[in-house]
Amino acid sequence: MRKFNIRKVLDGLTASSSSASQQQQQQQHPPGNREPEIQETLQSEHFQLCKTVRHGFPYQPSALAFDPVQKILAVGTQTGALRLFGRPGVECYCQHDNGAAVIQLQFLINEGALVSALADDTLHLWNLRQKRPAILHSLKFCRERVTFCHLPFQSKWLYVGTERGNIHIVNVESFTLSGYVIMWNKAIELSSKSHPGPVVHISDNPMDEGKLLIGFESGTVVLWDLKSKKADYRYTYDEAIHSVAWHHEGKQFICSHSDGTLTIWNVRSPAKPVQTITPHGKQLKDGKKPEPCKPILKVEFKTTRSGEPFIILSGGLSYDTVGRRPCLTVMHGKSTAVLEMDYSIVDFLTLCETPYPNDFQEPYAVVVLLEKDLVLIDLAQNGYPIFENPYPLSIHESPVTCCEYFADCPVDLIPALYSVGARQKRQGYSKKEWPINGGNWGLGAQSYPEIIITGHADGSVKFWDASAITLQVLYKLKTSKVFEKSRNKDDRPNTDIVDEDPYAIQIISWCPESRMLCIAGVSAHVIIYRFSKQEVITEVIPMLEVRLLYEINDVETPEGEQPPPLPTPVGGSNPQPIPPQSHPSTSSSSSDGLRDNVPCLKVKNSPLKQSPGYQTELVIQLVWVGGEPPQQITSLAVNSSYGLVVFGNCNGIAMVDYLQKAVLLNLGTIELYGSNDPYRREPRSPRKSRQPSGAGLCDISEGTVVPEDRCKSPTSDVKDNSFSRSRSSSVTSIDKESREAISALHFCETFTRKTDSSPSPCLWVGTTLGTVLVIALNLPPGGEQRLLQPVIVSPSGTILRLKGAILRMAFLDTTGCLIPPAYEPWREHNVPEEKDEKEKLKKRRPVSVSPSSSQEISENQYAVICSEKQAKVISLPTQNCAYKQNITETSFVLRGDIVALSNSICLACFCANGHIMTFSLPSLRPLLDVYYLPLTNMRIARTFCFTNNGQALYLVSPTEIQRLTYSQETCENLQEMLGELFTPVETPEAPNRGFFKGLFGGGAQSLDREELFGESSSGKASRSLAQHIPGPGGIEGVKGAASGVVGELARARLALDERGQKLGDLEERTAAMLSSAESFSKHAHEIMLKYKDKKWYQF
């Protein structure tokens, strides 16, 4: 695991320049009106960055293994990741440093270890007896390419087949090569003229470990006698081999071939197969061979005591089944079941009752690893039902388009969501318990509730319980249910502004206390939801259409002349709610055939049955204006106490009263400034600095004139331009790109003007040009009056400016505590209220839930504003800048959040250059600056979010969520919280083999592998063949894995690492000690049993 050194200086700032800026701040505020000093408790030692857990389906899986005694499943991927799964809640993620694809995994069964073979011809031995598995040894093959590995049960000698057709033998204790080699030319007939191809299979005869079955790609199979070092039998077939499997009695084996056939061979009859089967071939009447089929990629041959054996295979379908889904075929006696899969099959394994290959296998399930799913089939039940998957592997069911993360939610939320989500469960699963149930849960030290919400491309929204580093889906909401579905492409209205996924979720705004949910979708639609435990039927879906257009008409304004006069701000002089489409429009005429006043999606006009959970309160859609489609929504906020929702895009801002279903505000961005635009000079566009040739008609389309320090686009100085317009990616033309979009919205109860003597409800609006504007809200009294009287909305004239697009705003009280927005506590709306309840409601005014609600009028507040470039803390009502911090000069902030940590608060930022930073509040002292992500792509930029208690997450791949912490306390407690993969389990007794004893000349007992492969008899392997590399896990080696001393070692190592010191010499000595250790399996097992009641863990 990477460890981060915490640097306390900012990217691009030296310590001296930051102290200089503090002196400057002190000069800004003469002693007469200095800000009151607020005691800040957070220090840099409260911060440390580390990854905690990774959830979701392993992206691009490539290999699969199962330990039948420990009951642990391992999945390897094409990017070198390793995911281990035990009982639900026991999951682990590790990574091979070089990122090469995992081609094969082999458990050392019941030993707490795993061998991985990679595409770069390295083998690695992983120690799973620690909570964070580590590599103990690696072996790099220098001259040959590894194609197949086989480790017999309870053996320490690993067979490694290569592309050249040779087999090498590795001692898994010391991870060194034996001198014993099986050369391809010795294995095949000397008379054979051609090379047999790479080794595709190795296995020992279940009844005689001295006989090794070697499968070559070309179709040749050899039974090799390890003792006499020669081939006993050779079996040839004229089709390429993909896989081989033994019958447990060791008298027969089965091969799968590239022409869709299976051949079954008697060991002692090499001339021809006993049986040839084409499972999916059409049998031709005149006895001809069936038509060839697609290759059978894998076959398994499993026996049962009480009936016919199972033959299970993947692939092999006939070529005329075009468009048919990938299949797993289960042949049992005379019945053949073809199980269709949703994605192509990467690998499968049959889970059996015994780990011994020479006993009746008694298969009970098949685990199928698909390209994008993991399926477990119950072989014991009729119809082969699948098990219900308890792992959170369905994050990517539809691609994730946005994420939000809430730590420390109200405690009743998760049970409420779980109870409505439980009704959505599918039926028809196997009745048995999930059989992959190894390992032990960690101790969930963190008890606070955490919820992750994911928005998806198909319009669905999923709520996940993320408490105590686990993940479980709670509830799924389908937002597309309110719209008419177009049955085919011709039906589709040509109002769509996106070709695919018209319901995709772009922004989620959620109030956990009131349970109000608001989503903005890609088709410029907003839906407001209320939570209810009752089912309702909505006769008519409430709907509003909003005509939000860019008011200034570029064509009418000659270059350099005064901009046209601005309309008066709405609401100040006109308190009536504005009905939809009453906004004055410059291009309402549609006589020229331009599309006008139509939304992109059509809301259903039939009654809608709404199940318990989130129910539609109101659908708002932006409409086409004069042939111009509505622009996608860039910012969204909802407030349950005020009953308002507000959203904006690059054209302007709209506010809706969702209780009265009325549009309150509908303004172009430039109109927000009213007569208070401080920059009424010759309009200049950010485009001018980039495009000198573009002078002319559309210069005024900027909306606001730009001050000197903002004459470049917020991100034009960033080399990597892939993120430069991350928040309004839908806006394609340069003209739209340079418009001023609404980028942040925040409802609060604060001072709207300098002259205010008391706080009042208002909305703070941030734009992409770094402007913050304040809109005053005049709310009617609560109860029935709230539904009868209009809400009066008026721009206050307050304007603040920062460098870069505004990302986030928050408010602190006079003691520096966060003031959360006011909210209305959740109550059930679909139940008629009692009379006295109604009386209470009438009297109830929306209240702010400030921690210091007994504020005196004279007390001030602080506004915290974070932009792409800087953060400012502004004292209210004076509007003086109390503190300022330039976050980054060369990059820009992608996400900024004001979060609670250790009974205090801080500003956490994630930059496009991969840095994670935190700043104290209100003074904006740098507390943490870590270069975390070397590569930042659009997916990460779109999904990264911070939350309270030092938690953060992002989508690390299209299928996986990576969670991390920036809290020192969580990093320290992480070991306790992680589950244990290895638990002491007795190995089952070996089968009674008296009857077979003499069958193969004494059976497996007769082979002493140590004598055959050891240095004394086989000599040393060539040094140039493979290079041994001690692993980083060596320091907490298997011998010490069970003792608490190693925990101390690991902590000491962490401390040394943080001081930047190297432990190279210590590791070398440790590696030397380890190499002289006794038997890997025996010794580790003894020590583990000895210490099993003690607590043991290491990094």
Side-chain angles (χ1 to χ4, degrees):
M1 180 187 146
R2 274 177 68 190
K3 297 176 180 86
F4 299 99
N5 287 336
I6 296 173
R7 299 197 311 281
K8 294 168 189 123
V9 288
L10 278 164
D11 162 32
L13 287 177
T14 59
S16 59
S17 70
S18 65
S19 62
S21 69
Q22 277 169 4
Q23 285 165 13
Q24 197 180 330
Q25 281 169 16
Q26 283 163 11
Q27 287 160 11
Q28 269 179 339
H29 307 293
N33 57 357
R34 281 191 62 177
E35 296 302 324
E37 199 61 44
I38 291 174
Q39 193 62 45
E40 292 179 0
T41 54
L42 283 181
Q43 301 300 327
S44 38
E45 51 267 26
H46 289 107
F47 294 88
Q48 184 187 340
L49 197 69
C50 71
K51 292 178 181 177
T52 52
V53 281
R54 185 174 287 204
H55 301 297
F57 182 77
Y59 183 56
Q60 296 179 322
S62 55
L64 184 65
F66 182 67
D67 183 327
V69 181
Q70 285 287 322
K71 301 261 196 295
I72 295 282
L73 187 79
V75 176
T77 75
Q78 290 176 31
T79 53
L82 185 60
R83 289 284 291 282
L84 297 144
F85 298 93
R87 68 179 63 240
V90 176
E91 273 185 51
C92 180
Y93 157 76
C94 328
Q95 178 70 45
H96 294 90
D97 287 342
N98 56 7
V102 178
I103 54 172
Q104 206 179 344
L105 295 169
Q106 288 264 306
F107 274 101
L108 278 67
I109 292 171
N110 205 22
E111 298 290 358
L114 174 79
V115 173
S116 57
L118 269 57
D120 65 350
D121 312 306
T122 53
L123 302 177
H124 304 275
L125 178 67
W126 289 85
N127 174 18
L128 308 183
R129 293 183 176 227
Q130 50 195 60
K131 289 189 170 185
R132 292 245 186 207
I135 291 174
L136 290 169
H137 301 282
S138 300
L139 193 65
K140 166 86 174 152
F141 280 78
C142 306
R143 296 192 311 213
E144 297 201 50
R145 312 234 41 195
V146 175
T147 55
F148 192 89
C149 298
H150 169 63
L151 181 69
F153 179 44
Q154 292 181 322
S155 161
K156 70 172 186 180
W157 298 97
L158 173 76
Y159 301 111
V160 181
T162 69
E163 200 171 51
R164 288 189 185 172
N166 304 325
I167 290 175
H168 302 279
I169 297 163
V170 175
N171 180 334
V172 290
E173 268 172 24
S174 60
F175 238 56
T176 51
L177 275 179
S178 159
Y180 191 115
V181 183
I182 303 171
M183 302 301 285
W184 68 271
N185 50 357
K186 293 262 180 68
I188 66 163
E189 301 269 23
L190 292 174
S191 58
S192 174
K193 293 190 174 77
S194 57
H195 187 277
V199 175
V200 294
H201 178 82
I202 309 168
S203 60
D204 41 344
N205 184 319
M207 285 301 169
D208 187 352
E209 295 173 345
K211 305 280 195 258
L212 201 63
L213 194 70
I214 305 162
F216 295 98
E217 192 181 65
S218 63
T220 301
V221 178
V222 174
L223 188 69
W224 180 264
D225 187 312
L226 288 163
K227 265 188 178 165
S228 64
K229 301 187 181 177
K230 64 179 179 39
D232 280 359
Y233 300 104
R234 298 183 179 90
Y235 316 82
T236 50
Y237 190 72
D238 51 8
E239 289 293 340
I241 288 178
H242 283 278
S243 76
V244 185
W246 279 102
H247 185 285
H248 86 270
E249 288 172 357
K251 294 177 184 174
Q252 283 189 335
F253 61 87
I254 188 168
C255 300
S256 76
H257 298 278
S258 56
D259 64 344
T261 57
L262 297 172
T263 53
I264 298 176
W265 302 77
N266 276 346
V267 168
R268 298 188 173 192
S269 313
K272 66 178 184 25
V274 196
Q275 200 181 352
T276 304
I277 312 165
T278 312
H280 294 281
K282 288 182 182 147
Q283 296 299 327
L284 302 172
K285 285 176 187 169
D286 46 5
K288 285 183 185 168
K289 270 177 80 173
E291 290 174 7
C293 294
K294 293 174 185 170
I296 295 176
L297 300 174
K298 183 169 183 180
V299 64
E300 294 209 334
F301 200 1
K302 301 296 179 188
T303 51
T304 59
R305 270 194 176 78
S306 56
E308 300 277 346
F310 282 87
I311 295 175
I312 301 164
L313 55 117
S314 64
L317 292 179
S318 66
Y319 280 101
D320 60 6
T321 51
V322 179
R324 186 156 174 197
R325 294 194 293 183
C327 293
L328 186 84
T329 307
V330 180
M331 300 165 73
H332 185 224
K334 290 183 178 166
S335 78
T336 299
V338 181
L339 310 174
E340 289 200 339
M341 302 290 155
D342 289 339
Y343 307 101
S344 54
I345 298 171
V346 175
D347 198 358
F348 72 88
L349 286 173
T350 311
L351 308 189
C352 300
E353 296 291 354
T354 177
Y356 293 94
N358 55 359
D359 196 5
F360 284 100
Q361 297 297 287
E362 304 295 349
Y364 58 89
V366 184
V367 56
V368 190
L369 178 64
L370 305 174
E371 212 172 36
K372 292 184 180 176
D373 203 0
L374 182 77
V375 175
L376 202 58
I377 296 157
D378 185 349
L379 287 179
Q381 240 174 288
N382 282 342
Y384 304 133
I386 64 168
F387 289 86
E388 185 174 7
N389 196 323
Y391 308 132
L393 301 183
S394 62
I395 291 169
H396 63 288
E397 188 178 19
S398 167
V400 176
T401 50
C402 64
C403 269
E404 290 298 335
Y405 188 9
F406 300 86
D408 226 359
C409 304
V411 287
D412 55 348
L413 252 182
I414 288 175
L417 287 163
Y418 182 81
S419 67
V420 294
R423 306 170 195 213
Q424 301 176 328
K425 293 245 166 111
R426 276 179 51 194
Q427 301 300 311
Y429 289 114
S430 165
K431 295 179 175 57
K432 293 204 186 108
E433 289 285 304
W434 182 255
I436 302 162
N437 56 9
N440 275 331
W441 274 18
L443 304 165
Q446 290 173 338
S447 54
Y448 53 84
E450 296 175 73
I451 290 176
I452 293 169
I453 306 179
T454 51
H456 300 263
D458 64 355
S460 59
V461 175
K462 285 184 186 171
F463 290 77
W464 304 82
D465 175 3
S467 314
I469 71 170
T470 60
L471 192 71
Q472 183 187 9
V473 72
L474 291 169
Y475 170 71
K476 178 179 171 180
L477 167 69
K478 292 180 178 169
T479 66
S480 60
K481 276 203 317 197
V482 299
F483 299 110
E484 297 280 4
K485 295 271 193 309
S486 46
R487 283 180 180 72
N488 57 33
K489 285 207 170 152
D490 307 333
D491 266 10
R492 271 167 66 172
N494 42 14
T495 50
D496 287 8
I497 50 174
V498 281
D499 294 336
E500 289 174 5
D501 305 322
Y503 312 112
I505 309 289
Q506 274 191 314
I507 309 173
I508 295 166
S509 176
W510 187 52
C511 171
E513 288 79 13
S514 66
R515 304 186 190 172
M516 288 301 292
L517 171 72
C518 194
I519 64 99
V522 75
S523 296
H525 62 281
V526 170
I527 310 177
I528 300 152
Y529 290 93
R530 245 184 230 284
F531 185 85
S532 171
K533 293 180 178 177
Q534 309 289 320
E535 183 176 292
V536 292
I537 291 176
T538 308
E539 293 299 325
V540 179
I541 298 167
M543 186 184 83
L544 281 177
E545 289 178 0
V546 176
R547 190 181 173 87
L548 193 60
L549 73 144
Y550 196 59
E551 196 54 62
I552 303 302
N553 197 334
D554 302 336
V555 185
E556 291 171 10
T557 313
E559 294 166 50
E561 284 187 16
Q562 282 293 309
L566 294 165
T568 52
V570 177
S573 56
N574 172 17
Q576 289 305 311
I578 307 162
Q581 290 124 38
S582 68
H583 193 269
S585 151
T586 51
S587 55
S588 56
S589 63
S590 52
S591 55
D592 50 2
L594 291 175
R595 195 171 293 126
D596 198 64
N597 267 354
V598 281
C600 300
L601 301 172
K602 190 164 181 269
V603 175
K604 280 182 182 166
N605 50 17
S606 53
L608 181 70
K609 179 181 157 189
Q610 305 211 64
S611 307
Y614 274 103
Q615 297 171 350
T616 308
E617 173 84 0
L618 177 63
V619 180
I620 307 164
Q621 293 195 84
L622 294 182
V623 294
W624 285 67
V625 176
E628 169 106 352
Q631 294 304 313
Q632 289 179 2
I633 290 158
T634 53
S635 190
L636 172 73
V638 65
N639 187 288
S640 58
S641 176
Y642 306 157
L644 302 177
V645 66
V646 62
F647 55 93
N649 61 12
C650 66
N651 283 341
I653 185 170
M655 192 188 295
V656 168
D657 178 341
Y658 65 76
L659 298 175
Q660 294 188 21
K661 314 283 188 278
V663 181
L664 300 176
L665 181 75
N666 182 355
L667 287 178
T669 319
I670 191 169
E671 299 170 69
L672 274 174
Y673 289 87
S675 56
N676 296 316
D677 188 346
Y679 305 108
R680 299 298 293 273
R681 293 169 285 167
E682 181 190 343
R684 275 191 319 163
S685 157
R687 290 193 310 288
K688 275 197 161 173
S689 59
R690 288 183 289 168
Q691 279 194 313
S693 60
L697 298 176
C698 39
D699 283 351
I700 300 166
S701 72
E702 190 43 64
T704 54
V705 183
V706 187
E708 261 49 61
D709 63 344
R710 282 286 306 146
C711 59
K712 282 199 291 236
S713 131
T715 50
S716 60
D717 56 341
V718 179
K719 289 190 185 79
D720 172 13
N721 224 8
S722 59
F723 303 103
S724 55
R725 285 284 116 218
S726 58
R727 269 161 308 283
S728 52
S729 53
S730 64
V731 185
T732 46
S733 76
I734 288 175
D735 167 46
K736 288 170 194 153
E737 194 178 286
S738 58
R739 288 184 190 176
E740 186 172 16
I742 308 295
S743 57
L745 294 162
H746 189 87
F747 284 107
C748 53
E749 211 147 307
T750 187
F751 302 92
T752 51
R753 299 174 183 84
K754 286 184 183 180
T755 53
D756 283 5
S757 57
S758 63
S760 58
C762 56
L763 170 73
W764 285 51
V765 180
T767 76
T768 49
L769 289 185
T771 305
V772 176
L773 303 131
V774 183
I775 294 174
L777 309 173
N778 192 342
L779 297 159
E784 282 175 22
Q785 289 302 306
R786 173 64 185 85
L787 299 175
L788 300 172
Q789 294 183 30
V791 176
I792 298 170
V793 180
S794 52
S796 67
T798 295
I799 293 180
L800 307 163
R801 297 197 70 88
L802 276 78
K803 261 199 288 189
I806 306 296
L807 299 180
R808 188 76 68 226
M809 296 175 279
F811 292 83
L812 314 181
D813 66 15
T814 190
T815 63
C817 294
L818 192 65
I819 306 173
Y823 64 83
E824 181 97 349
W826 179 78
R827 61 185 177 81
E828 181 58 74
H829 270 258
N830 293 330
V831 176
E833 285 131 9
E834 301 297 316
K835 210 170 184 186
D836 53 340
E837 280 286 314
K838 281 195 174 171
E839 289 304 310
K840 274 187 211 165
L841 275 176
K842 273 185 197 171
K843 291 172 190 157
R844 184 162 65 178
R845 264 293 305 216
V847 289
S848 172
V849 285
S850 160
S852 51
S853 49
S854 61
Q855 280 182 359
E856 289 172 27
I857 287 172
S858 62
E859 288 190 343
N860 62 349
Q861 290 184 1
Y862 295 96
V864 181
I865 305 170
C866 174
S867 80
E868 284 182 328
K869 291 287 186 183
Q870 62 180 190
K872 280 186 181 179
V873 172
I874 288 159
S875 184
L876 299 176
T878 60
Q879 295 179 16
N880 292 334
C881 178
Y883 302 99
K884 174 178 155 185
Q885 179 66 262
N886 289 322
I887 300 169
T888 172
E889 297 292 336
T890 55
S891 183
F892 55 100
V893 179
L894 288 165
R895 176 82 183 207
D897 286 292
I898 289 96
V899 289
L901 177 73
S902 306
N903 298 320
S904 188
I905 52 167
C906 65
L907 166 66
C909 296
F910 172 56
C911 271
N913 60 10
H915 281 251
I916 287 177
M917 307 178 195
T918 62
F919 302 91
S920 72
L921 287 173
S923 72
L924 296 173
R925 274 181 304 117
L927 295 171
L928 171 84
D929 180 3
V930 171
Y931 178 50
Y932 171 70
L933 271 180
L935 272 175
T936 303
N937 57 30
M938 271 310 291
R939 183 184 58 251
I940 295 169
R942 202 178 58 235
T943 56
F944 199 104
C945 45
F946 297 97
T947 186
N948 297 332
N949 299 342
Q951 307 286 351
L953 67 78
Y954 59 95
L955 212 66
V956 67
S957 75
T959 62
E960 296 163 291
I961 286 174
Q962 177 68 56
R963 286 164 73 179
L964 53 140
T965 182
Y966 47 95
S967 149
Q968 168 70 33
E969 190 188 354
T970 308
C971 286
E972 283 179 358
N973 293 334
L974 186 58
Q975 266 320 101
E976 301 265 311
M977 296 169 69
L978 293 171
E980 289 181 30
L981 288 165
F982 181 79
T983 47
V985 181
E986 280 293 316
T987 302
E989 272 187 36
N992 182 3
R993 303 237 303 278
F995 171 74
F996 296 112
K997 204 73 176 180
L999 205 65
F1000 278 96
Q1005 269 27 11
S1006 62
L1007 181 77
D1008 183 350
R1009 292 194 181 98
E1010 189 70 48
E1011 190 186 306
L1012 262 182
F1013 306 145
E1015 212 172 288
S1016 54
S1017 59
S1018 65
K1020 284 188 174 180
S1022 160
R1023 280 199 167 178
S1024 61
L1025 196 59
Q1027 176 195 356
H1028 176 260
I1029 306 154
I1035 191 165
E1036 307 94 6
V1038 163
K1039 285 189 67 179
S1043 82
V1045 179
V1046 182
E1048 298 303 319
L1049 250 176
R1051 277 193 285 278
R1053 177 178 176 169
L1054 245 179
L1056 282 165
D1057 260 10
E1058 282 178 4
R1059 292 187 204 107
Q1061 293 175 9
K1062 298 282 176 260
L1063 280 173
D1065 53 342
L1066 176 57
E1067 289 204 16
E1068 277 163 33
R1069 271 179 289 162
T1070 314
M1073 280 161 53
L1074 276 166
S1075 64
S1076 65
E1078 298 89 9
S1079 154
F1080 172 97
S1081 57
K1082 212 167 117 199
H1083 200 94
H1085 202 68
E1086 284 167 14
I1087 284 201
M1088 183 272 309
L1089 290 170
K1090 185 175 166 189
Y1091 289 94
K1092 75 176 179 186
D1093 295 327
K1094 295 197 177 186
K1095 248 191 184 173
W1096 50 275
Y1097 55 88
Q1098 53 277 109
F1099 285 79

